[in-house]
Amino acid sequence: MIRETFGEGLEGAVEEAVRKAIEQFASMGAEVQEISCPRFRYGLPTYYIIAPSEASANLARYDGVKYGLRTEEADNLMSMYTQTRAQGFGAEVKRRIMVGTYVLSAGYYDAYYLKAQKVRTLIKQDFERAFEQVDVLVCPTAPNTAFKAGERTEDPISMYLTDLMTIPVNLAGLPALSVPCGFDAQGMPIGLQLIGNVLQEEQLLQVAYAYEQATEWHKQMAAIE
Amino acid sequence: MGSIRELNQQLLTKERSAVEIAQAAIDRIQALEPKLHSFLCVTAERAIEQARQVDAQIAAGEAIGLLAGIPIGIKDNLCTKGVPTTCASKILQNFVPPYESTVTQKLKVAGAVMVGKTNLDEFAMGSSTENSAFQTTANPWDLTRIPGGSSGGSAAAVAADECAIALGSDTGGSIRLPASFCGVVGMKPTYGLVSRYGLVAYASSLDQIGPFARSVEDAAILLGAIAGHDPKDSTSLKVEIPDYAANLKPELKPGLARWRDSRNLWRRLGGCG
């Protein structure tokens, strides 16, 4: 289990369900160890530099020329580009393109993008050290359960925090899965995240399968009113 | 709807035809969509046609794979030839890809029946599917809540039994988060295990395609069908793909430590970082 994922901001019901799942693994013969990934918490800021950087480059292709939307209002090429993109992209996509373009720009590249790439390596090293001691890492998939529609749309940071536990895995390129491990008081599902070493999908699925077969959570189906 | 193995058994024993299974999925989608909004596009005609081909194979006595006739939802950032692929963005609203992504091509060959393209946060950027330019998907467990994102449509569709399995993409949690919020299994494979050819790029060093299912076994079957080296993706790994679903055991095997020597695989494979 990753110590750093059981800190502040974790909903009580999620913590309880995940700790019970860990007890379940122990009762099945797993040797449970608490592991520290001290750089885990830098995953979120690192991701929000690297991902928008790549997005700003990848999304440059939507210029109204090759495919997709093209504005009909423009009277010259530059205004066609800018108006097509202004009309075609939503607010979050624009935010990430702007962040990405900013952190890649001359003068800021070293301070942000290059630094983020270095931190990415440190996060990967945390995982490498962890996998010298254990086969599979376990933590909550998210710090909370599903929230109400509209609750976090005005506050991008609170929305980004939902991915706190999943992002470091992408930065390190590792396999991971979420498997149902309980419900909160409102009846909303809780997920258990299992993280494996590079290319250990077979082992990861085996561990998840053994847990699933020992529990009943996956048998419950949503009753849609 | 049943698990992949249950549906496969029904097909083999001729209890149900692939067309009947596909029609049942489409009927359920039509009944639930006004509340759920998990699909951006339902490909009913194409699904029935694909199912008919599976039935013809069975009638001819040909062997069929486990995924033949299984209804599947595809995240709308995976290119499907002749079927709109919008990434839930206005900028790609009318985009119909002239080519098929490697993963959907593999599923087509396996006989899986695509029932539609699922909703997402625009270009997979978001954690709630509220950033879709077209509709907000509801969480099947409580329609006033979000399904998580960005593959919220795929997670909700599987949780609501609109399809047996689905594909999503995961850049920072976009498969695992909605799987957690919707009470299903969702997996992000090792970077490079599954070809990204035909996945509309968001952040190329992080993006990876993976399965949604209602059980670990179904996720394992689907992963096995989409994994593997692809010369069309330069970051695709040249590794052998084991039969992930063949050896699943209900107990934890001792001696998992034999996997440990893989510690330095990344370096040997020349992977990222």
Side-chain angles (χ1 to χ4, degrees), chain A residues 27 33 84 87 108 117 121 126 152 161 165 173 202 214-215 222:
Chain A
S27 77
Q33 281 182 40
T84 296
Q87 291 165 16
Y108 295 103
Q117 290 292 11
T121 302
D126 271 6
R152 299 192 180 190
L161 280 169
M165 322 265 188
E202 197 179 6
T215 57

Side-chain angles (χ1 to χ4, degrees), chain B residues 75-138:
Chain B
K75 188 176 182 180
D76 205 25
N77 60 352
L78 286 161
C79 287
T80 41
K81 192 177 176 179
V83 177
T85 299
T86 69
C87 292
S89 179
K90 274 192 214 160
I91 213 155
L92 283 178
Q93 192 161 11
N94 302 312
F95 176 58
V96 180
Y99 70 105
E100 190 80 30
S101 73
T102 294
V103 286
T104 52
Q105 181 59 33
K106 283 184 169 192
L107 291 170
K108 231 181 187 179
V109 171
V113 171
M114 181 175 88
V115 290
K117 304 292 295 283
T118 57
N119 195 23
L120 63 152
D121 284 298
E122 186 177 1
F123 284 104
M125 297 181 190
S127 310
S128 68
T129 315
E130 289 168 297
N131 293 336
S132 168
F134 307 121
Q135 61 193 33
T136 302
T137 299

Side-chain angles (χ1 to χ4, degrees), chain A residues 24 57 70 79 169 197 208:
Chain A
Q24 175 65 38
R70 177 186 299 171
S79 117
V169 176
N197 204 346

Side-chain angles (χ1 to χ4, degrees), chain B residues 191 194-201 204-205 207-209 230 233 235:
Chain B
Y191 182 78
V194 178
S195 168
R196 291 182 294 114
Y197 178 75
L199 168 71
V200 178
S204 309
S205 78
D207 297 339
Q208 188 61 197
I209 300 164
D230 177 12
D233 173 1
T235 60

Side-chain angles (χ1 to χ4, degrees), chain A residues 25 28-30 47-48 50-52 54-55 58-59 61-63 67-69 84-85 87-93 96 120-121 124 128 131-135 141-142 144-153 159-160 162-163 165-167 169-180 183 186-193 197-210 212-213 218 220-225, chain B residues 28 32 35-36 87 89-95 122-128 130-131 136 139-149 158-161 170-177 179-191 193 200-208 214-217 219-220 223 237 239 242-244 247-253 256-260 262-267 269 272-273:
Chain A
F25 278 120
M28 292 164 74
Y47 175 86
Y48 277 101
I50 293 173
E54 296 184 17
N58 276 328
L59 271 59
R61 72 190 67 173
Y62 305 106
D63 54 7
Y67 33 58
L69 180 81
T84 296
R85 289 168 70 83
Q87 291 165 16
F89 289 133
E92 182 61 31
V93 175
R96 294 194 196 188
R120 181 177 188 171
T121 302
K124 197 162 79 70
E128 281 171 358
F131 283 118
E132 283 171 17
Q133 299 170 66
V134 298
D135 295 300
T141 305
N144 48 273
T145 55
F147 43 89
K148 295 270 185 191
E151 202 180 291
R152 299 192 180 190
T153 38
M159 188 73 90
Y160 295 170
T162 323
D163 294 328
M165 322 265 188
T166 49
I167 276 175
V169 176
N170 297 74
L171 291 170
L174 300 171
L177 56 77
S178 180
V179 63
F183 293 87
Q186 285 76 43
M188 299 310 290
I190 299 168
L192 178 75
Q193 182 173 225
N197 204 346
V198 175
L199 288 172
Q200 298 308 315
E201 277 79 4
E202 197 179 6
Q203 182 198 37
L204 191 59
L205 287 160
Q206 170 56 48
V207 172
Y209 183 76
E212 179 193 73
Q213 294 303 305
H218 66 292
Q220 303 205 34
M221 292 284 288
I224 300 151
E225 327 89 72
Chain B
R28 187 158 173 88
L32 293 180
K35 290 174 184 168
L36 273 185
C87 292
S89 179
K90 274 192 214 160
I91 213 155
L92 283 178
Q93 192 161 11
N94 302 312
F95 176 58
E122 186 177 1
F123 284 104
M125 297 181 190
S127 310
S128 68
E130 289 168 297
N131 293 336
T136 302
N139 189 310
W141 295 89
D142 176 349
L143 300 176
T144 66
R145 292 173 191 266
I146 53 90
V158 170
D161 207 19
D170 189 314
T171 306
S174 282
I175 290 174
R176 291 159 288 155
L177 181 72
S180 169
F181 281 9
C182 292
V184 296
V185 177
M187 182 174 193
K188 182 203 93 77
T190 300
Y191 182 78
L193 184 76
V200 178
Y202 157 25
S204 309
S205 78
L206 301 159
D207 297 339
Q208 188 61 197
R214 284 188 297 272
S215 70
V216 173
E217 186 184 33
L223 178 66
L237 298 173
V239 289
D243 187 342
Y244 297 117
N247 302 311
L248 295 174
K249 305 257 166 24
E251 71 269 10
L252 285 177
K253 287 181 288 188
L256 287 173
R258 71 186 167 92
W259 303 97
R260 299 257 173 90
S262 62
R263 219 183 324 154
N264 296 317
L265 257 179
W266 248 169
R267 237 154 283 151
L269 290 163
C272 74

Side-chain angles (χ1 to χ4, degrees), chain A residues 96-134:
Chain A
R96 294 194 196 188
I97 291 173
M98 284 190 282
V99 169
T101 311
Y102 178 78
V103 297
L104 287 177
S105 58
Y108 295 103
Y109 180 93
D110 288 357
Y112 293 108
Y113 183 75
L114 195 64
K115 199 169 178 184
Q117 290 292 11
K118 289 176 179 170
V119 178
R120 181 177 188 171
T121 302
L122 295 176
I123 291 167
K124 197 162 79 70
Q125 286 170 353
D126 271 6
F127 280 117
E128 281 171 358
R129 253 175 242 127
F131 283 118
E132 283 171 17
Q133 299 170 66
V134 298

Side-chain angles (χ1 to χ4, degrees), chain A residues 65-77:
Chain A
V65 176
K66 292 184 279 295
Y67 33 58
L69 180 81
R70 177 186 299 171
T71 183
E72 284 168 12
E73 290 145 36
D75 51 12
N76 64 58
L77 183 65

